[in-house]
Amino acid sequence: MSITRRSLLLSGAAVGAALAGSNTSVLAAEQELTLGVVGVLSGPAAQWGLALRGAVEFVAAEANRDGLIKIGGAPCKVNVVAIDSKYTAEGAAAAANTLAGQGVKFIIGPIGSPELTGVKPIAKRNLMLVMGNSYAKDALSPQMPLVFHVGPGPSGWADPIIKIAKQKFGIKSVVLVAPNDQGGTDIASVDADAYKKNGIAATEEYYQRGTTNFAPIVTRIMNAKPEAVDLASSPPGDAGIMVKQLRQAGFEGPIGRLGGPGYSEISRVAGGDEVLKDFYWYEPVFIDEKAQQIADDYKKLLGTERPENNLFFQWVSGARMVVKAIAKAGTADTAKVAEALRALPVSDPNLGAGHWIGQDFFGINQELSFPFGVGLVTGGKLQPTMRVEAAGGK
Amino acid sequence: MQGFVATGLIGISLGAQYALLALGFTLIFGILGVVNFAHGGFYVLGGYLAYSAVTFLGMPYALAVVCAALGTTGLGYLFERFALDRLIDDHLATLMLTLGLYMMMSSGILVIFGPQSPAFAFPLTGVIRGYGFFVPVENLVVLGICIVGILSIYGLMYHTDFGRALRALADDRAVATAQGLRPTVLFPAAFALATGLAGLTGALVTPILSLAPHIGDPVLATSFLIVILGGLGSVGGATVAAFLVGMVEAFSAVYLGGSKGALALFVLVLVMLVVKPSGLFGHRVRGA
């Protein structure tokens, strides 16, 4: 068979057309959007980071299942990249830089105040949208319009919890204990103000992050003879040791935790609910049957149990809001997504309706607020979580 | 006065734990001339070995502690014999090797056991109370074992041929070797003894505090602080410094506050280094 110039051209054109066609389909199939997770994945606060990572992986799986995201009208697969921030500003900054280097434009997380402080300048420089946590006094600001807040800090929820604890346990004085960095001092000081507004004398105690034996600090607390101790934002591992050592020292009063959740790990490290005895804490989400449905969906979608910490539910709602805003904007342009996010009503299929708040405390209305819960252990027995309406106002 | 007694007891309890831990660290430096960055890792490993023995093998806690100490002893022996020994006089190489081992140990523990603290409790509970003080029973037991451990190390180092041989090697390796002592046999043994002590401390202390993959970092920092304060390589110095650190930590945290307590320790070391750079019992800074 002889090869003519015509047949050569025809076959060349056919191959070219085939390649062009396959290239289009490859391009379409390869359109991807990455959600970056900056979270603490090691150390005593790791339970929080695992909850964050699990939540974002779940929301990405939901978005992929439902074909939710279209960029420029074309379907888009959602990926997740998680990097350990080690609960430090420098660790979180390094993680954000790595994500920026990979072209990631959306960060879900981080959790703690030092981490968010590390992430914000990197996010601003690289025009990244951040849906973070942090109970710092400067978590949000009008100068950082691409930074959103997954839920209110103590300014939003401390007051109703303290009212419940006061009514339940009759507290007149409290010592608040937290690490001596921004992740501790900002929260403990806001909590302390809320206690004082409720007529409870409050003093603050701080410890060096990384402390493993709290016996001296416990002795100092015992010398102050408070009626209650509040562990504020101490990581669950640290809080568990403190509860155990407080009870060993003979402290009989209620112990609170107006900071991040972690009841299960605190109870485990302390030695059980009978050691907690009288204990009250902030649950970022009120977990009823409808909220619990998220855990069942998680198992169906990802094939494993959901992460243990209840921050998981809050991160699901926050990540869902970001994904909804990307879907609504139809672009990965973070300024347009932020605009869409601000305009979205606060609602979640499982957690119900909430509000955008933050104007009064931060000067910018970019804080999600959903109904939350107050956990209680009384007399060593776990009580049903109490539901509190979402913090409203501005 | 009541708080003073309670604080003193806490200081003694902390000091005994620190002493057992720092003795191993200073033995390795004094005899081998190696700064063991993996010391905190052996402490954590001891805790996890004891936890595994209790939880997965159903061993009684006392036996699990022995197994944990033996496990870290064995690993220390193998590491010195097959990795460290080849580069024993290269200080930078040994530093990197021990640091690398620490990272491998902590990462391995993280992968196997996960980042969360497992439920690992001391089998004895209860608190003894007196006028103005309280002591958890578990702390008393650990204190007792630590003191027996410290005395045993002293007995071994100062009243046995093995101890004399180790001290001879620490004093002058060339002369000791010329006298027939064999570093290739004694160095792994010394390293194993030290890592066994770290493992024993981890197995004893982690159930009364908490067990997690990262807790080797503060342990390493404390060990460093103690051996610098006591005098690098000095067994007696490390023991005295450990109790001093325990006391300073307890009293400063109780009377000045948690943040200032941590600061007080470093101020103490700073003052010591300015006034007596060789530490409390150090004769000279070992040549690098």
Side-chain angles (χ1 to χ4, degrees):
Chain A
M1 193 178 100
S2 66
I3 302 170
T4 63
R5 184 178 290 181
R6 188 167 174 267
S7 65
L8 198 64
L9 279 171
L10 279 172
S11 53
V15 170
L19 280 176
S22 66
N23 202 28
T24 310
S25 64
V26 165
L27 280 177
E30 278 184 351
Q31 182 157 276
E32 290 180 349
L33 179 117
T34 302
L35 297 178
V37 172
V38 176
V40 47
L41 301 175
S42 57
Q47 206 193 45
W48 294 340
L50 297 174
L52 160 63
R53 187 178 67 185
V56 182
E57 284 169 347
F58 170 68
V59 171
E62 270 189 335
N64 290 331
R65 180 195 63 195
D66 302 337
L68 205 63
I69 305 281
K70 291 188 175 69
I71 303 285
C76 187
K77 189 184 173 220
V78 182
N79 291 325
V80 178
V81 174
I83 302 179
D84 187 2
S85 60
K86 302 182 196 305
Y87 212 83
T88 61
E90 61 272 22
N97 261 322
T98 306
L99 291 172
Q102 293 173 4
V104 175
K105 287 286 174 193
F106 299 93
I107 293 179
I108 314 289
I111 297 159
S113 303
E115 299 168 279
L116 191 64
T117 299
V119 163
K120 282 194 292 190
I122 316 292
K124 188 175 185 183
R125 198 180 312 137
N126 294 284
L127 298 176
M128 298 159 104
L129 186 145
V130 178
M131 175 60 83
N133 189 35
S134 159
Y135 299 152
K137 290 172 180 170
D138 63 351
L140 300 181
S141 68
Q143 290 75 36
M144 296 273 180
L146 294 184
V147 179
F148 290 79
H149 212 194
V150 74
S155 57
W157 42 255
D159 185 69
I161 301 176
I162 290 167
K163 283 188 166 61
I164 290 171
K166 189 180 176 184
Q167 186 252 325
K168 200 90 188 166
F169 303 115
I171 305 164
K172 290 193 183 72
S173 63
V174 66
V175 169
L176 293 115
V177 199
N180 60 355
D181 54 25
Q182 198 188 10
T185 53
D186 272 13
I187 300 156
S189 58
V190 175
D191 285 346
D193 286 344
Y195 275 107
K196 284 171 191 164
K197 274 180 197 160
N198 280 281
I200 298 169
T203 49
E204 296 158 47
E205 273 299 332
Y206 295 104
Y207 66 88
Q208 186 76 22
R209 202 179 278 278
T211 299
T212 52
N213 192 335
F214 293 90
I217 291 153
V218 163
T219 304
R220 187 174 164 83
I221 293 169
M222 293 298 286
N223 288 348
K225 297 185 171 59
E227 289 188 359
V229 173
D230 191 322
L231 305 170
S233 57
S234 311
D238 293 356
I241 306 171
M242 272 190 270
V243 170
K244 183 174 157 183
Q245 294 190 329
L246 275 165
R247 294 303 186 210
Q248 282 176 337
F251 183 71
E252 295 282 332
I255 299 176
R257 182 180 163 70
L258 300 194
Y263 148 75
S264 55
E265 187 168 358
I266 295 171
S267 177
R268 190 169 62 228
V269 173
D273 285 353
E274 61 277 17
V275 179
L276 294 182
K277 204 173 160 193
D278 290 327
F279 193 68
Y280 59 96
W281 71 96
Y282 162 65
E283 277 293 351
V285 170
F286 177 71
I287 303 166
D288 54 11
E289 276 182 18
K290 214 167 173 188
Q292 194 59 40
Q293 184 63 40
I294 301 177
D296 299 338
D297 291 347
Y298 183 94
K299 198 171 180 184
K300 267 185 221 157
L301 258 177
L302 300 178
T304 57
E305 295 293 337
R306 60 118 172 151
E308 185 177 279
N309 193 279
N310 285 344
L311 270 181
F312 165 78
F313 296 97
Q314 192 178 31
W315 284 114
V316 167
S317 62
R320 276 175 173 168
M321 288 294 288
V322 172
V323 165
K324 262 197 278 184
I326 299 170
K328 186 180 168 194
T331 172
D333 182 325
T334 47
K336 287 180 181 161
V337 173
E339 206 180 313
L341 186 52
R342 284 181 210 112
L344 278 177
V346 176
S347 74
D348 183 273
N350 297 86
L351 305 186
H355 318 280
W356 281 114
I357 61 167
Q359 184 69 43
D360 287 347
F361 195 79
F362 297 110
I364 189 165
N365 222 24
Q366 297 198 160
E367 187 169 61
L368 292 170
S369 173
F370 283 100
F372 62 93
V374 179
L376 281 171
V377 170
T378 55
K381 294 217 162 39
L382 180 64
Q383 305 298 321
T385 305
M386 298 169 79
R387 187 178 194 275
V388 179
E389 285 307 319
K394 286 185 180 176
Chain B
M1 187 62 194
Q2 294 183 17
F4 193 83
V5 174
T7 310
L9 285 171
I10 292 168
I12 291 169
S13 172
L14 284 172
Q17 294 165 23
Y18 291 162
L20 198 57
L21 193 70
L23 275 179
F25 193 85
T26 206
L27 275 178
I28 293 175
F29 182 82
I31 297 164
L32 280 74
V34 169
V35 177
N36 181 22
F37 271 91
H39 207 63
F42 282 101
Y43 169 87
V44 181
L45 187 66
Y48 273 97
L49 284 175
Y51 163 72
S52 303
V54 169
T55 310
F56 305 121
L57 303 176
M59 271 186 203
Y61 172 70
L63 187 58
V65 170
V66 175
C67 288
L70 289 177
T72 50
T73 301
L75 182 67
Y77 183 90
L78 292 174
F79 177 68
E80 206 291 334
R81 181 73 186 82
F82 295 107
L84 209 56
D85 208 48
R86 295 160 195 269
L87 300 157
I88 199 77
D89 291 321
D90 185 341
H91 295 280
L92 276 178
T94 53
L95 192 146
M96 291 312 294
L97 264 180
T98 53
L99 189 61
L101 178 67
Y102 177 50
M103 287 174 155
M104 284 165 64
M105 286 161 91
S106 53
S107 302
I109 288 168
L110 193 69
V111 168
I112 296 168
F113 295 97
Q116 295 180 39
S117 295
F120 184 34
F122 203 81
L124 296 174
T125 53
V127 180
I128 296 170
R129 293 183 194 284
Y131 180 72
F133 75 91
F134 70 94
V135 187
V137 173
E138 55 201 36
N139 286 43
L140 270 185
V141 173
V142 170
L143 177 66
I145 296 172
C146 285
I147 288 171
V148 169
I150 294 163
L151 293 176
S152 303
I153 292 300
Y154 273 84
L156 187 75
M157 291 303 292
Y158 292 99
H159 298 288
T160 67
D161 288 342
F162 175 69
R164 282 184 204 101
L166 291 182
R167 285 190 291 128
L169 277 173
D171 278 348
D172 194 322
R173 195 192 307 171
V175 173
T177 309
Q179 296 290 319
L181 297 176
R182 290 189 295 162
T184 49
V185 173
L186 291 168
F187 279 178
F191 197 87
L193 176 65
T195 55
L197 284 176
L200 173 68
T201 318
L204 285 172
V205 174
T206 53
I208 64 171
L209 298 177
S210 81
L211 183 58
H214 67 279
I215 54 171
D217 301 358
V219 162
L220 179 66
T222 309
S223 299
F224 253 121
L225 210 111
I226 289 166
V227 295
I228 289 169
L229 198 60
L232 291 166
S234 166
V235 172
T239 310
V240 172
F243 280 97
L244 190 62
V245 164
M247 286 294 183
V248 170
E249 191 177 324
F251 278 98
S252 58
V254 170
Y255 291 105
L256 300 176
S259 301
K260 295 189 189 86
L263 181 68
L265 274 180
F266 285 95
V267 170
L268 179 71
V269 171
L270 187 72
V271 170
M272 173 56 72
L273 286 176
V274 171
V275 176
K276 196 168 185 296
S278 56
L280 282 173
F281 289 76
H283 300 298
R284 64 186 168 88
V285 176
R286 192 187 178 96

